Amino acid sequence: MMQTTTLVTREEYFDRLANSEIKLEYHGGEIVAMAGAQPTHNIIASNLISELVFCLKAKGCVVYNSDQLIKVESCDKYTFPDLVIVCQTPIYEKTPKGLDALENPEIIIEVLSESTESYDRLEKFDCYKTIPSFREYVLVSSRTKKIEVIKKLSEAEWLSHTYSDKDENVLISACTIRLTDIYNHVELPA
């Protein structure tokens, strides 16, 4: 049996988002509900926010948490990444119902889970690459001490560096962060 999906307009999406108690993403006419995160995911994201805010505040950068909606025009998407960093003047699309969508993210960080890893690595990354300001993608494992930092070299070339428990530090943007600080208070599966 074939399942049919009712497509909605952006206006309908923002109406639903304004009245929703959960985060909703917009994927080209489809609305996707975002599930709540596990404690490990939340602790890693909080640790990263703490470290990055401390490192980047003197540089005038803004670190956003997972409540910041971003617009990916070329893919007709609105998403809620785990963390977003902007070091230039933030540019927002004024959306209906007052939830402004960031248009110029520079660094996007996703804490991976089993259910989202493939989407974050492939489809989401391909869409993020179309944002002109986007220059660094960070994928953080919530199952093992592993962080992949992917930096833009040119429109067609990205350089990936993977950090693991063998590494003492991780370089995100201009910040050198201890791996143990990112995973502080995190209980990883054995």
mmCIF file of all heavy atoms in Angstrom, residues 51-102:
data_model
loop_
_atom_site.group_PDB
_atom_site.id
_atom_site.type_symbol
_atom_site.label_atom_id
_atom_site.label_comp_id
_atom_site.label_asym_id
_atom_site.label_seq_id
_atom_site.Cartn_x
_atom_site.Cartn_y
_atom_site.Cartn_z
ATOM 1 N N GLU A 51 31.963 25.521 25.992
ATOM 2 C CA GLU A 51 33.336 25.684 25.508
ATOM 3 C C GLU A 51 33.417 26.696 24.365
ATOM 4 O O GLU A 51 34.323 27.532 24.325
ATOM 5 C CB GLU A 51 33.906 24.333 25.047
ATOM 6 C CG GLU A 51 34.056 23.302 26.146
ATOM 7 C CD GLU A 51 35.055 23.707 27.218
ATOM 8 O OE1 GLU A 51 36.090 24.331 26.890
ATOM 9 O OE2 GLU A 51 34.808 23.403 28.403
ATOM 10 N N LEU A 52 32.482 26.635 23.437
ATOM 11 C CA LEU A 52 32.529 27.513 22.267
ATOM 12 C C LEU A 52 32.193 28.958 22.610
ATOM 13 O O LEU A 52 32.814 29.881 22.092
ATOM 14 C CB LEU A 52 31.614 26.969 21.168
ATOM 15 C CG LEU A 52 32.127 25.683 20.517
ATOM 16 C CD1 LEU A 52 31.027 25.011 19.695
ATOM 17 C CD2 LEU A 52 33.357 25.947 19.668
ATOM 18 N N VAL A 53 31.220 29.170 23.482
ATOM 19 C CA VAL A 53 30.898 30.537 23.901
ATOM 20 C C VAL A 53 32.115 31.160 24.571
ATOM 21 O O VAL A 53 32.486 32.300 24.274
ATOM 22 C CB VAL A 53 29.661 30.561 24.832
ATOM 23 C CG1 VAL A 53 29.533 31.905 25.551
ATOM 24 C CG2 VAL A 53 28.397 30.269 24.044
ATOM 25 N N PHE A 54 32.738 30.422 25.462
ATOM 26 C CA PHE A 54 33.921 30.931 26.163
ATOM 27 C C PHE A 54 35.033 31.287 25.174
ATOM 28 O O PHE A 54 35.655 32.336 25.272
ATOM 29 C CB PHE A 54 34.423 29.894 27.178
ATOM 30 C CG PHE A 54 35.613 30.351 27.950
ATOM 31 C CD1 PHE A 54 35.485 31.258 28.987
ATOM 32 C CD2 PHE A 54 36.881 29.881 27.633
ATOM 33 C CE1 PHE A 54 36.591 31.694 29.699
ATOM 34 C CE2 PHE A 54 37.996 30.305 28.338
ATOM 35 C CZ PHE A 54 37.850 31.222 29.376
ATOM 36 N N CYS A 55 35.270 30.430 24.198
ATOM 37 C CA CYS A 55 36.347 30.646 23.224
ATOM 38 C C CYS A 55 36.032 31.769 22.242
ATOM 39 O O CYS A 55 36.905 32.568 21.903
ATOM 40 C CB CYS A 55 36.610 29.352 22.460
ATOM 41 S SG CYS A 55 37.738 29.527 21.065
ATOM 42 N N LEU A 56 34.796 31.848 21.768
ATOM 43 C CA LEU A 56 34.465 32.730 20.648
ATOM 44 C C LEU A 56 33.907 34.094 21.026
ATOM 45 O O LEU A 56 33.771 34.961 20.161
ATOM 46 C CB LEU A 56 33.475 32.018 19.714
ATOM 47 C CG LEU A 56 34.022 30.784 19.001
ATOM 48 C CD1 LEU A 56 32.901 30.045 18.286
ATOM 49 C CD2 LEU A 56 35.127 31.153 18.030
ATOM 50 N N LYS A 57 33.609 34.319 22.297
ATOM 51 C CA LYS A 57 32.963 35.585 22.651
ATOM 52 C C LYS A 57 33.843 36.794 22.346
ATOM 53 O O LYS A 57 33.345 37.823 21.898
ATOM 54 C CB LYS A 57 32.493 35.591 24.096
ATOM 55 C CG LYS A 57 33.577 35.601 25.135
ATOM 56 C CD LYS A 57 32.959 35.609 26.525
ATOM 57 C CE LYS A 57 34.051 35.534 27.579
ATOM 58 N NZ LYS A 57 33.484 35.504 28.919
ATOM 59 N N ALA A 58 35.145 36.684 22.508
ATOM 60 C CA ALA A 58 36.037 37.816 22.218
ATOM 61 C C ALA A 58 36.128 38.093 20.713
ATOM 62 O O ALA A 58 36.498 39.188 20.308
ATOM 63 C CB ALA A 58 37.427 37.549 22.782
ATOM 64 N N LYS A 59 35.778 37.111 19.895
ATOM 65 C CA LYS A 59 35.823 37.274 18.440
ATOM 66 C C LYS A 59 34.506 37.815 17.892
ATOM 67 O O LYS A 59 34.342 37.980 16.693
ATOM 68 C CB LYS A 59 36.182 35.939 17.787
ATOM 69 C CG LYS A 59 37.573 35.447 18.146
ATOM 70 C CD LYS A 59 37.805 34.046 17.588
ATOM 71 C CE LYS A 59 39.177 33.525 17.872
ATOM 72 N NZ LYS A 59 39.613 33.565 19.250
ATOM 73 N N GLY A 60 33.538 38.050 18.773
ATOM 74 C CA GLY A 60 32.256 38.597 18.345
ATOM 75 C C GLY A 60 31.318 37.577 17.734
ATOM 76 O O GLY A 60 30.329 37.939 17.098
ATOM 77 N N CYS A 61 31.597 36.305 17.928
ATOM 78 C CA CYS A 61 30.749 35.254 17.359
ATOM 79 C C CYS A 61 29.551 34.978 18.263
ATOM 80 O O CYS A 61 29.605 35.184 19.465
ATOM 81 C CB CYS A 61 31.543 33.968 17.189
ATOM 82 S SG CYS A 61 32.987 34.131 16.119
ATOM 83 N N VAL A 62 28.480 34.501 17.656
ATOM 84 C CA VAL A 62 27.278 34.103 18.377
ATOM 85 C C VAL A 62 27.137 32.594 18.252
ATOM 86 O O VAL A 62 27.248 32.045 17.153
ATOM 87 C CB VAL A 62 26.019 34.799 17.798
ATOM 88 C CG1 VAL A 62 24.768 34.363 18.541
ATOM 89 C CG2 VAL A 62 26.169 36.306 17.837
ATOM 90 N N VAL A 63 26.896 31.928 19.376
ATOM 91 C CA VAL A 63 26.662 30.484 19.388
ATOM 92 C C VAL A 63 25.191 30.268 19.732
ATOM 93 O O VAL A 63 24.719 30.693 20.774
ATOM 94 C CB VAL A 63 27.561 29.769 20.425
ATOM 95 C CG1 VAL A 63 27.295 28.260 20.411
ATOM 96 C CG2 VAL A 63 29.042 30.058 20.149
ATOM 97 N N TYR A 64 24.465 29.620 18.815
ATOM 98 C CA TYR A 64 23.041 29.348 19.000
ATOM 99 C C TYR A 64 22.835 27.898 19.419
ATOM 100 O O TYR A 64 23.535 27.001 18.928
ATOM 101 C CB TYR A 64 22.275 29.546 17.687
ATOM 102 C CG TYR A 64 22.326 30.935 17.116
ATOM 103 C CD1 TYR A 64 23.338 31.308 16.238
ATOM 104 C CD2 TYR A 64 21.347 31.873 17.435
ATOM 105 C CE1 TYR A 64 23.372 32.584 15.692
ATOM 106 C CE2 TYR A 64 21.382 33.149 16.887
ATOM 107 C CZ TYR A 64 22.399 33.498 16.021
ATOM 108 O OH TYR A 64 22.433 34.756 15.481
ATOM 109 N N ASN A 65 21.815 27.660 20.246
ATOM 110 C CA ASN A 65 21.483 26.287 20.607
ATOM 111 C C ASN A 65 20.486 25.718 19.599
ATOM 112 O O ASN A 65 20.191 26.338 18.578
ATOM 113 C CB ASN A 65 20.970 26.213 22.052
ATOM 114 C CG ASN A 65 19.635 26.898 22.252
ATOM 115 O OD1 ASN A 65 18.878 27.152 21.312
ATOM 116 N ND2 ASN A 65 19.320 27.198 23.500
ATOM 117 N N SER A 66 19.935 24.570 19.917
ATOM 118 C CA SER A 66 19.081 23.846 18.965
ATOM 119 C C SER A 66 17.714 24.479 18.742
ATOM 120 O O SER A 66 16.929 23.969 17.950
ATOM 121 C CB SER A 66 18.896 22.401 19.439
ATOM 122 O OG SER A 66 18.242 22.383 20.693
ATOM 123 N N ASP A 67 17.429 25.577 19.405
ATOM 124 C CA ASP A 67 16.158 26.265 19.166
ATOM 125 C C ASP A 67 16.228 27.266 18.022
ATOM 126 O O ASP A 67 15.226 27.879 17.679
ATOM 127 C CB ASP A 67 15.689 26.990 20.439
ATOM 128 C CG ASP A 67 15.149 26.028 21.471
ATOM 129 O OD1 ASP A 67 14.685 24.934 21.096
ATOM 130 O OD2 ASP A 67 15.192 26.368 22.667
ATOM 131 N N GLN A 68 17.416 27.445 17.430
ATOM 132 C CA GLN A 68 17.549 28.408 16.328
ATOM 133 C C GLN A 68 17.223 27.745 14.995
ATOM 134 O O GLN A 68 17.924 26.840 14.543
ATOM 135 C CB GLN A 68 18.956 29.012 16.266
ATOM 136 C CG GLN A 68 19.126 30.022 15.156
ATOM 137 C CD GLN A 68 18.126 31.170 15.245
ATOM 138 O OE1 GLN A 68 18.059 31.864 16.251
ATOM 139 N NE2 GLN A 68 17.335 31.361 14.197
ATOM 140 N N LEU A 69 16.177 28.204 14.383
ATOM 141 C CA LEU A 69 15.761 27.735 13.064
ATOM 142 C C LEU A 69 16.699 28.319 12.017
ATOM 143 O O LEU A 69 17.057 29.490 12.086
ATOM 144 C CB LEU A 69 14.327 28.200 12.794
ATOM 145 C CG LEU A 69 13.653 27.725 11.517
ATOM 146 C CD1 LEU A 69 13.422 26.215 11.566
ATOM 147 C CD2 LEU A 69 12.320 28.456 11.338
ATOM 148 N N ILE A 70 17.134 27.495 11.064
ATOM 149 C CA ILE A 70 17.911 28.023 9.942
ATOM 150 C C ILE A 70 17.185 27.720 8.635
ATOM 151 O O ILE A 70 16.462 26.741 8.515
ATOM 152 C CB ILE A 70 19.367 27.516 9.896
ATOM 153 C CG1 ILE A 70 19.449 26.036 9.564
ATOM 154 C CG2 ILE A 70 20.125 27.833 11.160
ATOM 155 C CD1 ILE A 70 20.841 25.594 9.168
ATOM 156 N N LYS A 71 17.412 28.605 7.677
ATOM 157 C CA LYS A 71 16.792 28.472 6.356
ATOM 158 C C LYS A 71 17.834 27.947 5.377
ATOM 159 O O LYS A 71 18.950 28.451 5.308
ATOM 160 C CB LYS A 71 16.292 29.835 5.890
ATOM 161 C CG LYS A 71 15.660 29.816 4.519
ATOM 162 C CD LYS A 71 15.230 31.211 4.107
ATOM 163 C CE LYS A 71 14.578 31.187 2.743
ATOM 164 N NZ LYS A 71 14.154 32.531 2.323
ATOM 165 N N VAL A 72 17.438 26.933 4.612
ATOM 166 C CA VAL A 72 18.283 26.402 3.544
ATOM 167 C C VAL A 72 17.485 26.567 2.249
ATOM 168 O O VAL A 72 16.747 25.685 1.827
ATOM 169 C CB VAL A 72 18.658 24.920 3.780
ATOM 170 C CG1 VAL A 72 19.699 24.468 2.761
ATOM 171 C CG2 VAL A 72 19.154 24.694 5.206
ATOM 172 N N GLU A 73 17.618 27.746 1.654
ATOM 173 C CA GLU A 73 16.790 28.157 0.524
ATOM 174 C C GLU A 73 16.835 27.159 -0.637
ATOM 175 O O GLU A 73 15.799 26.764 -1.164
ATOM 176 C CB GLU A 73 17.220 29.542 0.035
ATOM 177 C CG GLU A 73 16.425 30.060 -1.140
ATOM 178 C CD GLU A 73 14.974 30.382 -0.809
ATOM 179 O OE1 GLU A 73 14.726 30.904 0.283
ATOM 180 O OE2 GLU A 73 14.103 30.100 -1.652
ATOM 181 N N SER A 74 18.024 26.763 -1.052
ATOM 182 C CA SER A 74 18.145 25.928 -2.255
ATOM 183 C C SER A 74 17.501 24.555 -2.100
ATOM 184 O O SER A 74 17.134 23.930 -3.091
ATOM 185 C CB SER A 74 19.612 25.769 -2.652
ATOM 186 O OG SER A 74 20.276 25.036 -1.651
ATOM 187 N N CYS A 75 17.357 24.076 -0.883
ATOM 188 C CA CYS A 75 16.727 22.774 -0.640
ATOM 189 C C CYS A 75 15.288 22.916 -0.154
ATOM 190 O O CYS A 75 14.643 21.914 0.156
ATOM 191 C CB CYS A 75 17.532 21.984 0.388
ATOM 192 S SG CYS A 75 19.135 21.450 -0.207
ATOM 193 N N ASP A 76 14.798 24.161 -0.054
ATOM 194 C CA ASP A 76 13.458 24.427 0.436
ATOM 195 C C ASP A 76 13.252 23.761 1.795
ATOM 196 O O ASP A 76 12.311 23.006 2.008
ATOM 197 C CB ASP A 76 12.404 23.956 -0.570
ATOM 198 C CG ASP A 76 11.025 24.549 -0.289
ATOM 199 O OD1 ASP A 76 10.945 25.586 0.408
ATOM 200 O OD2 ASP A 76 10.026 23.951 -0.748
ATOM 201 N N LYS A 77 14.203 24.053 2.722
ATOM 202 C CA LYS A 77 14.160 23.457 4.057
ATOM 203 C C LYS A 77 14.322 24.527 5.131
ATOM 204 O O LYS A 77 14.984 25.534 4.930
ATOM 205 C CB LYS A 77 15.294 22.449 4.255
ATOM 206 C CG LYS A 77 15.145 21.141 3.540
ATOM 207 C CD LYS A 77 16.289 20.197 3.927
ATOM 208 C CE LYS A 77 16.270 18.936 3.131
ATOM 209 N NZ LYS A 77 15.445 17.899 3.706
ATOM 210 N N TYR A 78 13.736 24.218 6.278
ATOM 211 C CA TYR A 78 13.988 24.935 7.523
ATOM 212 C C TYR A 78 14.354 23.855 8.531
ATOM 213 O O TYR A 78 13.588 22.896 8.702
ATOM 214 C CB TYR A 78 12.747 25.703 7.997
ATOM 215 C CG TYR A 78 12.422 26.911 7.152
ATOM 216 C CD1 TYR A 78 11.606 26.794 6.031
ATOM 217 C CD2 TYR A 78 12.937 28.163 7.471
ATOM 218 C CE1 TYR A 78 11.303 27.900 5.245
ATOM 219 C CE2 TYR A 78 12.638 29.276 6.693
ATOM 220 C CZ TYR A 78 11.822 29.135 5.587
ATOM 221 O OH TYR A 78 11.524 30.231 4.810
ATOM 222 N N THR A 79 15.516 23.996 9.186
ATOM 223 C CA THR A 79 15.978 22.964 10.100
ATOM 224 C C THR A 79 16.400 23.563 11.444
ATOM 225 O O THR A 79 16.656 24.766 11.557
ATOM 226 C CB THR A 79 17.171 22.173 9.517
ATOM 227 O OG1 THR A 79 18.307 23.046 9.406
ATOM 228 C CG2 THR A 79 16.850 21.583 8.151
ATOM 229 N N PHE A 80 16.509 22.687 12.427
ATOM 230 C CA PHE A 80 16.978 23.046 13.758
ATOM 231 C C PHE A 80 18.253 22.252 14.057
ATOM 232 O O PHE A 80 18.190 21.186 14.666
ATOM 233 C CB PHE A 80 15.927 22.696 14.827
ATOM 234 C CG PHE A 80 14.729 23.584 14.848
ATOM 235 C CD1 PHE A 80 13.550 23.195 14.237
ATOM 236 C CD2 PHE A 80 14.761 24.803 15.519
ATOM 237 C CE1 PHE A 80 12.418 23.999 14.287
ATOM 238 C CE2 PHE A 80 13.647 25.623 15.566
ATOM 239 C CZ PHE A 80 12.462 25.220 14.942
ATOM 240 N N PRO A 81 19.439 22.746 13.651
ATOM 241 C CA PRO A 81 20.680 22.034 13.995
ATOM 242 C C PRO A 81 20.903 22.072 15.506
ATOM 243 O O PRO A 81 20.318 22.904 16.212
ATOM 244 C CB PRO A 81 21.771 22.824 13.276
ATOM 245 C CG PRO A 81 21.078 23.726 12.327
ATOM 246 C CD PRO A 81 19.688 23.932 12.858
ATOM 247 N N ASP A 82 21.790 21.221 16.000
ATOM 248 C CA ASP A 82 22.072 21.193 17.435
ATOM 249 C C ASP A 82 22.783 22.462 17.900
ATOM 250 O O ASP A 82 22.464 22.992 18.955
ATOM 251 C CB ASP A 82 22.895 19.950 17.792
ATOM 252 C CG ASP A 82 22.060 18.691 17.645
ATOM 253 O OD1 ASP A 82 20.913 18.685 18.118
ATOM 254 O OD2 ASP A 82 22.547 17.718 17.042
ATOM 255 N N LEU A 83 23.740 22.945 17.134
ATOM 256 C CA LEU A 83 24.427 24.204 17.424
ATOM 257 C C LEU A 83 24.737 24.890 16.110
ATOM 258 O O LEU A 83 25.024 24.228 15.099
ATOM 259 C CB LEU A 83 25.766 23.980 18.136
ATOM 260 C CG LEU A 83 25.781 23.724 19.629
ATOM 261 C CD1 LEU A 83 25.516 22.266 19.908
ATOM 262 C CD2 LEU A 83 27.127 24.117 20.180
ATOM 263 N N VAL A 84 24.714 26.221 16.134
ATOM 264 C CA VAL A 84 25.064 27.024 14.964
ATOM 265 C C VAL A 84 25.933 28.172 15.448
ATOM 266 O O VAL A 84 25.664 28.765 16.496
ATOM 267 C CB VAL A 84 23.808 27.593 14.264
ATOM 268 C CG1 VAL A 84 24.191 28.443 13.070
ATOM 269 C CG2 VAL A 84 22.865 26.490 13.841
ATOM 270 N N ILE A 85 26.962 28.492 14.673
ATOM 271 C CA ILE A 85 27.848 29.607 15.012
ATOM 272 C C ILE A 85 27.878 30.585 13.846
ATOM 273 O O ILE A 85 27.989 30.184 12.691
ATOM 274 C CB ILE A 85 29.280 29.105 15.300
ATOM 275 C CG1 ILE A 85 29.268 28.134 16.479
ATOM 276 C CG2 ILE A 85 30.224 30.284 15.572
ATOM 277 C CD1 ILE A 85 30.578 27.389 16.688
ATOM 278 N N VAL A 86 27.774 31.884 14.203
ATOM 279 C CA VAL A 86 27.891 32.960 13.220
ATOM 280 C C VAL A 86 28.874 33.975 13.783
ATOM 281 O O VAL A 86 28.709 34.434 14.913
ATOM 282 C CB VAL A 86 26.528 33.637 12.945
ATOM 283 C CG1 VAL A 86 26.690 34.809 11.983
ATOM 284 C CG2 VAL A 86 25.530 32.638 12.402
ATOM 285 N N CYS A 87 29.877 34.320 12.986
ATOM 286 C CA CYS A 87 30.865 35.308 13.416
ATOM 287 C C CYS A 87 30.706 36.630 12.674
ATOM 288 O O CYS A 87 31.330 37.617 13.031
ATOM 289 C CB CYS A 87 32.272 34.748 13.249
ATOM 290 S SG CYS A 87 32.576 33.316 14.307
ATOM 291 N N GLN A 88 29.895 36.642 11.639
ATOM 292 C CA GLN A 88 29.555 37.887 10.939
ATOM 293 C C GLN A 88 28.254 38.414 11.548
ATOM 294 O O GLN A 88 27.752 37.862 12.519
ATOM 295 C CB GLN A 88 29.378 37.612 9.450
ATOM 296 C CG GLN A 88 30.602 37.012 8.790
ATOM 297 C CD GLN A 88 30.302 36.522 7.378
ATOM 298 O OE1 GLN A 88 29.209 36.679 6.864
ATOM 299 N NE2 GLN A 88 31.300 35.921 6.757
ATOM 300 N N THR A 89 27.717 39.459 10.961
ATOM 301 C CA THR A 89 26.414 39.947 11.418
ATOM 302 C C THR A 89 25.345 38.935 11.009
ATOM 303 O O THR A 89 25.227 38.596 9.826
ATOM 304 C CB THR A 89 26.109 41.319 10.776
ATOM 305 O OG1 THR A 89 27.142 42.227 11.135
ATOM 306 C CG2 THR A 89 24.764 41.845 11.253
ATOM 307 N N PRO A 90 24.577 38.409 11.974
ATOM 308 C CA PRO A 90 23.535 37.443 11.621
ATOM 309 C C PRO A 90 22.482 38.074 10.703
ATOM 310 O O PRO A 90 22.104 39.230 10.881
ATOM 311 C CB PRO A 90 22.917 37.069 12.969
ATOM 312 C CG PRO A 90 23.933 37.455 13.991
ATOM 313 C CD PRO A 90 24.662 38.629 13.415
ATOM 314 N N ILE A 91 22.036 37.291 9.728
ATOM 315 C CA ILE A 91 20.978 37.713 8.811
ATOM 316 C C ILE A 91 19.795 36.770 9.026
ATOM 317 O O ILE A 91 19.963 35.546 9.008
ATOM 318 C CB ILE A 91 21.448 37.653 7.342
ATOM 319 C CG1 ILE A 91 22.643 38.586 7.128
ATOM 320 C CG2 ILE A 91 20.301 37.997 6.392
ATOM 321 C CD1 ILE A 91 23.337 38.387 5.789
ATOM 322 N N TYR A 92 18.628 37.354 9.239
ATOM 323 C CA TYR A 92 17.441 36.554 9.515
ATOM 324 C C TYR A 92 16.367 36.793 8.469
ATOM 325 O O TYR A 92 16.177 37.912 8.008
ATOM 326 C CB TYR A 92 16.843 36.920 10.876
ATOM 327 C CG TYR A 92 17.778 36.724 12.032
ATOM 328 C CD1 TYR A 92 18.494 37.794 12.560
ATOM 329 C CD2 TYR A 92 17.954 35.471 12.607
ATOM 330 C CE1 TYR A 92 19.355 37.623 13.631
ATOM 331 C CE2 TYR A 92 18.815 35.288 13.675
ATOM 332 C CZ TYR A 92 19.507 36.370 14.184
ATOM 333 O OH TYR A 92 20.368 36.202 15.236
ATOM 334 N N GLU A 93 15.666 35.736 8.129
ATOM 335 C CA GLU A 93 14.440 35.862 7.360
ATOM 336 C C GLU A 93 13.329 36.085 8.384
ATOM 337 O O GLU A 93 13.157 35.276 9.300
ATOM 338 C CB GLU A 93 14.159 34.582 6.565
ATOM 339 C CG GLU A 93 12.810 34.643 5.861
ATOM 340 C CD GLU A 93 12.404 33.315 5.248
ATOM 341 O OE1 GLU A 93 12.312 32.315 5.989
ATOM 342 O OE2 GLU A 93 12.179 33.296 4.031
ATOM 343 N N LYS A 94 12.624 37.182 8.240
ATOM 344 C CA LYS A 94 11.480 37.452 9.116
ATOM 345 C C LYS A 94 10.349 36.560 8.649
ATOM 346 O O LYS A 94 9.863 36.699 7.534
ATOM 347 C CB LYS A 94 11.076 38.922 9.053
ATOM 348 C CG LYS A 94 12.167 39.879 9.486
ATOM 349 C CD LYS A 94 12.458 39.740 10.951
ATOM 350 C CE LYS A 94 13.494 40.759 11.393
ATOM 351 N NZ LYS A 94 14.021 40.484 12.703
ATOM 352 N N THR A 95 9.965 35.631 9.483
ATOM 353 C CA THR A 95 8.955 34.662 9.086
ATOM 354 C C THR A 95 7.630 34.977 9.763
ATOM 355 O O THR A 95 7.588 35.692 10.760
ATOM 356 C CB THR A 95 9.389 33.233 9.477
ATOM 357 O OG1 THR A 95 9.525 33.171 10.895
ATOM 358 C CG2 THR A 95 10.700 32.860 8.809
ATOM 359 N N PRO A 96 6.547 34.438 9.226
ATOM 360 C CA PRO A 96 5.253 34.623 9.875
ATOM 361 C C PRO A 96 5.299 34.065 11.301
ATOM 362 O O PRO A 96 6.056 33.156 11.592
ATOM 363 C CB PRO A 96 4.293 33.793 9.011
ATOM 364 C CG PRO A 96 4.993 33.597 7.712
ATOM 365 C CD PRO A 96 6.462 33.630 8.019
ATOM 366 N N LYS A 97 4.540 34.617 12.167
ATOM 367 C CA LYS A 97 4.415 34.175 13.559
ATOM 368 C C LYS A 97 5.647 34.502 14.392
ATOM 369 O O LYS A 97 5.814 33.995 15.492
ATOM 370 C CB LYS A 97 4.118 32.672 13.654
ATOM 371 C CG LYS A 97 2.940 32.217 12.839
ATOM 372 C CD LYS A 97 1.656 32.791 13.378
ATOM 373 C CE LYS A 97 0.483 32.286 12.548
ATOM 374 N NZ LYS A 97 -0.757 32.906 12.878
ATOM 375 N N GLY A 98 6.579 35.307 13.857
ATOM 376 C CA GLY A 98 7.667 35.841 14.651
ATOM 377 C C GLY A 98 8.872 34.954 14.900
ATOM 378 O O GLY A 98 9.749 35.336 15.655
ATOM 379 N N LEU A 99 8.944 33.770 14.317
ATOM 380 C CA LEU A 99 10.120 32.919 14.498
ATOM 381 C C LEU A 99 11.086 33.190 13.348
ATOM 382 O O LEU A 99 10.860 32.750 12.228
ATOM 383 C CB LEU A 99 9.732 31.440 14.537
ATOM 384 C CG LEU A 99 10.869 30.467 14.815
ATOM 385 C CD1 LEU A 99 11.516 30.758 16.175
ATOM 386 C CD2 LEU A 99 10.374 29.043 14.787
ATOM 387 N N ASP A 100 12.134 33.946 13.609
ATOM 388 C CA ASP A 100 13.061 34.336 12.556
ATOM 389 C C ASP A 100 14.040 33.212 12.248
ATOM 390 O O ASP A 100 14.588 32.578 13.158
ATOM 391 C CB ASP A 100 13.826 35.597 12.963
ATOM 392 C CG ASP A 100 12.897 36.789 13.152
ATOM 393 O OD1 ASP A 100 11.774 36.753 12.607
ATOM 394 O OD2 ASP A 100 13.287 37.743 13.837
ATOM 395 N N ALA A 101 14.280 32.980 10.971
ATOM 396 C CA ALA A 101 15.165 31.902 10.521
ATOM 397 C C ALA A 101 16.516 32.491 10.115
ATOM 398 O O ALA A 101 16.587 33.413 9.306
ATOM 399 C CB ALA A 101 14.539 31.165 9.343
ATOM 400 N N LEU A 102 17.580 31.953 10.685
ATOM 401 C CA LEU A 102 18.934 32.384 10.369
ATOM 402 C C LEU A 102 19.282 31.974 8.941
ATOM 403 O O LEU A 102 19.083 30.827 8.558
ATOM 404 C CB LEU A 102 19.926 31.757 11.359
ATOM 405 C CG LEU A 102 21.377 32.157 11.205
ATOM 406 C CD1 LEU A 102 21.590 33.623 11.569
ATOM 407 C CD2 LEU A 102 22.256 31.265 12.081
#
